[in-house]
Amino acid sequence: MKPDLKQIQAPIATEMDDFEKKFRTFMKSKVKLLDHITGYIVKRKGKQMRPMFVFLTAGVSGGITESSYRGAALIELLHTATLVHDDVVDDANYRRGFFSVNALWKNKIAVLVGDYLLSRGLLLSVDNGDFGLLQIVSRAVREMSEGELLQIAKARKLDITEDVYYTIIKQKTASLIAACCAVGASTAGVGADQVEQMRLFGEKIGMAFQIKDDLFDYGKDEVGKPVGIDIKEKKMTLPLIFALEKASWMEKKKIIYLIRNKNEDKKSVNKVIDFVKASGGLEYAESVMNRYYEEALEILAAFPPSEYKVSLEALVEYTIQRKK
Amino acid sequence: MKPDLKQIQAPIATEMDDFEKKFRTFMKSKVKLLDHITGYIVKRKGKQMRPMFVFLTAGVSGGITESSYRGAALIELLHTATLVHDDVVDDANYRRGFFSVNALWKNKIAVLVGDYLLSRGLLLSVDNGDFGLLQIVSRAVREMSEGELLQIAKARKLDITEDVYYTIIKQKTASLIAACCAVGASTAGVGADQVEQMRLFGEKIGMAFQIKDDLFDYGKDEVGKPVGIDIKEKKMTLPLIFALEKASWMEKKKIIYLIRNKNEDKKSVNKVIDFVKASGGLEYAESVMNRYYEEALEILAAFPPSEYKVSLEALVEYTIQRKK
């Protein structure tokens, strides 16, 4: 079966609807301008992958509870705060085809709205005594910011090894999905061991997800041209890292030169892409992605059968098969 | 006696030294770039007013405990995170005479470092089970961001009444000092009533502090010229609000016109300053500040005598007498 997000969501359709309503009330404020902006944020919501992970892992761990909603909301509020800050960070004027909050209301407001959303998430947890959730999520926030900073530091020197790459994507991407799954298990009321198993499951999916994402940079864009954005931004990802490790000293020097100095030139970017493809970098990255995929399924196999489990298996499948 | 920060700090001198050492270890990270930046932040620390409030109010409430250090660190980490984000917000290139993190490492890194510091503060509290502190501080973060956003929303329309002004400064400034004092009392182990009294005490000082700050805008700068920065930025503060409330319809219209359209012109700004002075706006703001000062001292009077109390009284005095 080709995995499809609507089908995957079927066992938690009611919960997802309820969640959306609750989430709106969690964001309410006394300041009009703020409600105006958060209303705008709610409207342009994405695939809702994070709440989906929370509810499905709660289901597979024994059952969705009231605290699963608060856990999903905590993550979503923190994640939204991060997105709003990211818009400032990237000087992004668009997100998901809409104007970013940043473009519309300027940096100042974007930073403050981010801080506000964050404080709402904290209060939601603190006021309800969800301290286990808070711990899981705070760790994820720390790892995410450390991971992004590590990537920036390394990108300057273009000296990323495979190990550093795995550290970066584990912190930057996998830690949030891991947190979603740990929160799901924790709100189902299982013990620390099972929470840790679910956290690991999420981490594996997260790793596979990011490698897939990095592979897209070598795919074709909407008009059929290779993308190459990561190369332009001097972001070293697995296909390139593998190709450089295999390359001769001379070849490596040439490619690094192109990335460092000619990264704005379309022809040079294409040369780097061709070099990666010829070195088997794409196949290697795919094999690593598949290993994480297998490991995620292995962890999941230990859980009792249920409709949630079927959906989680499909979600793992979706992660590595998605087209964008 | 003329209050002096060194004398005020005397009863908590050891605690402040210990705190500085502990705070450094709280910020440690595995990412070199991050340690480099946080090291830079620690070096340019300010007057340390917030830890001072925490330790003095803990002392006056029954005694400084180990959790007082964590409470002070939580506030300091969140506050530092806010400052780093603020540097982005204000496009500020300097802070306290140094280059801002923003200017040196760009917005992207500044936002991430802010998020990192925040997560460290959260983990410090969560890992130690300091949930009461977390609640006090999360409320303050929410209020601060709401207050700043309210100020921005109102500044656009220049329609701030005295009541709105008090709401803004209570949220934007007083809530953090209130949180410091509540944290101090709470870590001394007193009951909810006394924590609330200390919170109120901090709020009153915070109000007086901000009004004093707003009055500086009508004082002379280092070369003897009136400052007028708030007017340039269309920030409506108490002296101006009072003057406008007293003014005739025509006069009000004229002044609003100058602020809205001529705020970049030194001569017009001076006209606004003269108008405020002639209307008795400065005297009025001072009288309100003195009322908050009296109210703060009244609350403090109910606490038993101690060297901490003497210092807190001097700190209240310092707030309204300071020269910058």
Side-chain angles (χ1 to χ4, degrees), chain B residues 210-235:
Chain B
Q210 185 59 54
I211 296 172
K212 178 79 181 179
D213 216 61
D214 292 341
L215 276 165
F216 282 136
D217 207 48
Y218 294 88
K220 309 251 184 264
D221 69 8
E222 278 154 30
V223 286
K225 287 182 189 150
V227 185
I229 294 167
D230 288 343
I231 297 166
K232 266 191 184 164
E233 295 181 351
K234 303 182 193 172
K235 225 178 254 170

Side-chain angles (χ1 to χ4, degrees), chain B residues 285-300:
Chain B
E286 261 164 38
S287 74
V288 176
M289 178 183 78
N290 285 327
R291 207 185 62 220
Y292 282 114
Y293 159 81
E294 301 284 351
E295 287 173 359
L297 286 182
E298 236 169 75
I299 296 174
L300 196 58

